[in-house]
Amino acid sequence: MHFNQTNHQKRNILVVDDTPDNLRLLSAMLTAQGFEVRKALNGKMALTACQMVLPDVILLDINMPDMDGYQVCQQLKADEKTSEVPVIFISALDDVVDKVKAFDVGGVDYIAKPFHGAEVVLRIENQINLRLLQVKLQEKNFLLQQALDNLKASQVQQIQNEKMVALGQLVAGLAHEINNPISFIYGNLQYAGQYVEDLVNMIEVYQQEYSKPTPKIQQTAKDLDLNFIIKDLQNLIGAMYRGSDRIREIVLALQHFSRHDEAEMKRVNIHEDIENTLVMLQYRLREAADRPAIVVVKDYGNLPLVTCYASELNQVFMHLLNNAIDAIEEGVRNQFPEEGMGNQSSTPYSLLPTPQIRIHTEMTDLNLVKIAIADNGLGIEESLRSRLFDPFFTTKPVGKGSGLGLSISYQIIVQKHRGNISCTSSAGKGAEFVLEIPVEQPDISSQFSKSEKGLGLGIREMESREAGEAGEAGEAGKSNNS
């Protein structure tokens, strides 16, 4: 935008005509009106003058030697620097064909000779005013685009924060459901090992002191295979140590997974992902001070492995299940608004409908995997449903939601997986969200094993190895005994 934008300064007019008398006449007339006038006798001089100082308006004759006005205008419009300068053709040619051609090559106006001075001045001022308005509009568009870019950047940050919140809930659920009991087991294994060792020592002392036990003791020792038990106990404790370590490794691997999402698609068992998400949310499904436990009803169909972004699909499950729990809790609070949060004994649970989340999966006739998550919570009013997937829109109280959970879910399902997400609901009667995604995504590499190495070892492989190690000592002992 090279246009002069200050109304008080002189406007620069470039007059191009091969007739010196016309140049002098136009120059004198425009100078008298307060314009700054430059003159050019041919097209090449005009193009050079434009490159030196950009004019506000160009008055351009058509019939000129070497390069006519049409060619000059075409070159001006082809140059990015001069393409926006208004060109007014001024010529003795008064035929309609000439005028049409002048507009076709980029002219904004056409003045026929002989001309009237007042007409020329008014047409020039009109183009200057139009150009000023165009510049102001461009400036406003630029500011609006800048504001939109800033908003998008802010939205991306909000989306990232929302994702981190969901992953934080995942880790929090793990810490609650796995870390505490495993730490208890792991911490007590040392004492259990010591107690077992003491008992074995005691038995050995008895065997030394009473080298000839009674027939009953001998028979019992034989039935129990006492020698095998004594030899295998330490191996068993070691296997339990290794099993506990393996579970701790799984937790660490999942924590690593929550920080670094897998970037590639992979084939996954949708039901396993749903179950893992439910495990992470067990702490929210249990009975609370102000409501009974939430029952999860699973109606799983026969699904094949689905090609998807597993971690992102888990995000969707996490968002929808969290929203279902929030809706149920809000519905309970609306039914009993006077109940205190800590007054569990006064809450008439028998009067409450059983809080329930229903998960249904099936294959559709279009080879789509359908996943429906329904609750019997507060429900959503019809006037709000059309905005559910809009960024920053939320029906939750201030401070309880950013309005990005469903928007992120929409992007993941619709844009990244080429699927559909919809909601059916009515106020007070719960809500159901339905996801539909293709079983296979187009243009996906067949090398799925590469994406499965992000966690070091797969969870299923860890669990199978844990089970194998737990029984390793027993099988080895029995083999030695035989």
Side-chain angles (χ1 to χ4, degrees):
M1 295 181 290
H2 304 284
F3 189 74
N4 300 323
Q5 299 179 35
T6 306
N7 291 325
H8 301 292
Q9 72 181 49
K10 290 185 177 181
R11 297 301 176 189
N12 190 299
I13 310 298
L14 177 63
V15 181
V16 186
D17 199 311
D18 63 334
T19 306
D21 291 337
N22 290 340
L23 285 178
R24 285 193 293 270
L25 175 63
L26 287 169
S27 177
M29 181 182 63
L30 295 176
T31 302
Q33 295 296 323
F35 295 104
E36 179 181 349
V37 181
R38 290 186 295 152
K39 295 172 283 186
L41 284 169
N42 54 56
K44 290 182 179 180
M45 291 178 61
L47 294 174
T48 303
C50 288
Q51 293 298 325
M52 295 176 62
V53 178
L54 198 65
D56 293 319
V57 175
I58 298 175
L59 290 179
L60 182 60
D61 188 24
I62 295 178
N63 288 328
M64 294 185 296
D66 299 330
M67 183 183 296
D68 62 25
Y70 299 133
Q71 294 172 316
V72 174
C73 187
Q74 285 176 328
Q75 290 198 27
L76 288 170
K77 296 304 174 182
D79 190 336
E80 184 178 355
K81 181 179 179 181
T82 59
S83 62
E84 296 182 353
V85 178
V87 176
I88 300 176
F89 282 96
I90 184 166
S91 174
L93 301 175
D94 197 22
D95 192 79
V96 174
V97 175
D98 298 310
K99 293 180 181 179
V100 170
K101 186 175 181 180
F103 287 109
D104 284 342
V105 297
V108 297
D109 206 345
Y110 193 100
I111 301 174
K113 298 177 183 178
F115 51 79
H116 297 281
E119 179 187 3
V120 174
V121 171
L122 286 175
R123 288 177 183 267
I124 290 174
E125 289 179 347
N126 181 50
Q127 292 303 322
I128 289 174
N129 291 332
L130 286 175
R131 182 73 187 120
L132 278 173
L133 293 175
Q134 289 175 352
V135 169
K136 290 179 180 179
L137 181 61
Q138 289 174 358
E139 288 178 342
K140 290 182 178 180
N141 287 341
F142 175 79
L143 294 175
L144 286 173
Q145 185 63 45
Q146 196 174 43
L148 179 60
D149 292 340
N150 292 337
L151 180 61
K152 287 181 177 179
S154 175
Q155 181 179 358
V156 168
Q157 185 62 41
Q158 285 281 352
I159 289 172
Q160 184 67 18
N161 292 340
E162 183 77 11
K163 183 166 68 172
M164 290 302 104
V165 169
L167 294 175
Q169 291 174 340
L170 181 74
V171 175
L174 281 173
H176 187 80
E177 299 298 331
I178 300 178
N179 281 348
N180 288 342
I182 287 301
S183 297
F184 175 80
I185 295 172
Y186 191 84
N188 283 285
L189 276 175
Q190 181 180 355
Y191 299 105
Q194 185 62 49
Y195 297 159
V196 168
E197 185 177 350
D198 292 342
L199 289 173
V200 169
N201 290 337
M202 178 62 71
I203 292 173
E204 290 177 348
V205 170
Y206 268 103
Q207 288 176 335
Q208 293 171 4
E209 294 296 325
Y210 298 94
S211 57
K212 295 182 178 180
T214 64
K216 184 176 180 180
I217 293 176
Q218 291 179 358
Q219 184 61 40
T220 303
K222 183 179 179 180
D223 293 341
L224 294 176
D225 199 354
L226 184 60
N227 291 332
F228 167 76
I229 292 177
I230 292 174
K231 292 177 181 179
D232 196 57
L233 269 175
Q234 292 302 323
N235 293 334
L236 182 61
I237 295 296
M240 293 171 68
Y241 266 116
R242 292 192 296 273
S244 298
D245 280 332
R246 184 70 65 227
I247 296 176
R248 287 159 65 105
E249 289 176 7
I250 292 172
V251 173
L252 291 175
L254 287 175
Q255 289 174 336
H256 177 77
F257 172 80
S258 70
R259 293 192 300 269
H260 301 91
D261 292 343
E262 295 179 11
E264 297 182 2
M265 282 195 170
K266 56 185 291 189
R267 289 191 178 97
V268 300
N269 185 323
I270 292 294
H271 295 154
E272 286 184 0
D273 284 349
I274 295 174
E275 290 296 326
N276 290 334
T277 306
L278 289 172
V279 169
M280 300 307 106
L281 292 172
Q282 279 300 315
Y283 72 102
R284 295 202 65 194
L285 296 171
R286 292 196 186 98
E287 181 177 339
D290 56 346
R291 61 159 177 79
I294 298 174
V295 177
V296 179
V297 179
K298 304 165 191 174
D299 179 22
Y300 291 161
N302 186 18
L303 300 183
L305 295 180
V306 179
T307 303
C308 64
Y309 293 102
S311 61
E312 297 191 13
L313 202 58
N314 288 340
Q315 263 194 64
V316 175
F317 297 150
M318 181 70 75
H319 286 311
L320 295 182
L321 290 170
N322 263 319
N323 286 346
I325 296 172
D326 289 341
I328 289 173
E329 292 179 342
E330 189 66 24
V332 172
R333 280 193 290 269
N334 284 357
Q335 291 184 44
F336 299 94
E338 298 180 358
E339 293 297 332
M341 291 298 293
N343 192 10
Q344 179 176 353
S345 61
S346 64
T347 303
Y349 284 163
S350 60
L351 301 179
L352 288 173
T354 302
Q356 185 180 103
I357 295 175
R358 184 175 183 271
I359 305 173
H360 170 78
T361 64
E362 65 177 29
M363 282 292 297
T364 70
D365 296 335
L366 300 177
N367 201 32
L368 298 174
V369 172
K370 178 181 177 181
I371 306 158
I373 299 177
D375 64 75
N376 60 349
L378 191 61
I380 305 169
E381 296 180 4
E382 183 177 359
S383 60
L384 302 178
R385 288 205 302 273
S386 61
R387 301 180 58 195
L388 281 179
F389 303 107
D390 292 348
F392 308 110
F393 177 77
T394 179
T395 59
K396 298 178 183 178
V398 176
K400 294 205 67 176
S402 64
L404 285 173
L406 289 177
S407 176
I408 294 173
S409 300
Y410 181 88
Q411 293 176 11
I412 292 173
I413 296 299
V414 177
Q415 298 178 9
K416 301 203 72 171
H417 290 88
R418 297 179 175 87
N420 298 304
I421 180 171
S422 61
C423 172
T424 56
S425 176
S426 57
K429 296 184 179 180
E432 181 181 46
F433 285 85
V434 177
L435 316 176
E436 290 182 331
I437 59 174
V439 174
E440 295 287 345
Q441 296 290 331
D443 303 326
I444 300 301
S445 172
S446 61
Q447 296 179 352
F448 293 100
S449 58
K450 181 179 178 182
S451 66
E452 293 173 355
K453 295 179 180 178
L455 294 178
L457 287 173
I459 294 176
R460 186 180 297 176
E461 181 183 351
M462 289 184 183
E463 292 174 344
S464 64
R465 285 181 57 185
E466 176 191 352
E469 289 179 355
E472 178 183 302
E475 292 178 0
K478 288 183 179 180
S479 176
N480 293 334
N481 188 50
S482 61

